[in-house]
Amino acid sequence: EKVDLLVDRLERAYTPIHTIGFLNLGVAGEWDFRYTTSNLPGHDPRKLRLRSVAQRVAPGEEKVQAGKLTNTIAWELVEEGASGTMEIKCDYMVTPKGDLHLDLTEHVLTPVNGSPADPMQLCGMLQRAVPPEVFMPEELDVHITYMDADIRVVECTSRKYGTSKNIYSRKV
């Protein structure tokens, strides 16, 4: 696939960041989710519409090896007319290899327009619509295989879900 070939070229030319300060500077901020190699079970777009999937990375100020990472899914239940967000909040530690090790802290479902008739069903639909490492990032290691000012390619590895690559672009 073309995307895989382009990512491979970027990764081969990439020189990894070797200091925590530059890593934090590079990853900090808001990122839009663009692509995954995960096999998604899928969802019915007539019932659930994803408005956006984004990630916010906030390195720690006092402890530079730690930080917060939040995945945010903006959703709309088409038939019900309800919409809102699901935030998946994590703590992370930078490993000696420079990877981010994520620990899930909580899921926060926030209706904005109306409320879903069945919040548990909505959670299941969201879980099937996004990569597992986005919805349930438990004990997840995130290795940055390429990063510049606008694009970040990561390899996510967990015992539960295996390995996949995700591409993010910096929010403007």
Side-chain angles (χ1 to χ4, degrees):
E1 195 173 315
K2 274 188 176 181
V3 172
D4 294 330
L5 290 172
L6 293 171
V7 166
D8 186 55
R9 280 189 182 168
L10 289 173
E11 290 172 338
R12 279 190 273 135
Y14 179 63
T15 302
I17 294 172
H18 293 289
T19 67
I20 271 244
F22 280 114
L23 175 69
N24 286 341
L25 185 64
V27 299
E30 302 272 338
W31 298 85
D32 284 320
F33 176 79
R34 297 293 182 191
Y35 176 81
T36 187
T37 59
S38 284
N39 291 322
L40 302 177
H43 68 285
D44 185 346
R46 294 170 298 168
K47 293 182 179 182
L48 175 68
R49 185 173 297 137
L50 298 183
R51 292 289 181 201
S52 66
V53 179
Q55 188 175 83
R56 182 175 59 252
V57 182
E61 291 179 21
E62 291 182 23
K63 189 173 182 184
V64 295
Q65 297 90 351
K68 306 276 184 198
L69 184 146
T70 303
N71 293 318
T72 303
I73 305 165
W75 53 268
E76 178 184 350
L77 289 172
V78 179
E79 294 171 348
E80 294 181 29
S83 62
T85 61
M86 167 70 83
E87 288 187 320
I88 300 99
K89 298 182 178 191
C90 304
D91 291 329
Y92 74 80
M93 292 292 297
V94 178
T95 68
K97 290 181 2 184
D99 296 344
L100 306 182
H101 179 78
L102 275 55
D103 285 313
L104 177 66
T105 55
E106 66 179 334
H107 286 83
V108 180
L109 182 64
T110 307
V112 173
N113 226 358
S115 291
D118 186 346
M120 292 305 290
Q121 181 183 27
L122 171 60
C123 288
M125 292 167 70
L126 290 170
Q127 188 171 10
R128 289 186 295 280
V130 299
E133 62 274 8
V134 170
F135 192 84
M136 193 62 71
E138 291 181 288
E139 295 293 314
L140 184 71
D141 289 316
V142 179
H143 176 70
I144 298 167
T145 61
Y146 177 83
M147 182 169 59
D148 64 22
D150 301 314
I151 296 171
R152 183 167 49 104
V153 180
V154 298
E155 186 174 79
C156 301
T157 306
S158 77
R159 289 184 194 143
K160 190 172 184 178
Y161 305 117
T163 300
S164 64
K165 282 196 181 171
N166 295 336
I167 300 174
Y168 294 87
S169 66
R170 191 171 296 277
K171 278 193 175 199
V172 183

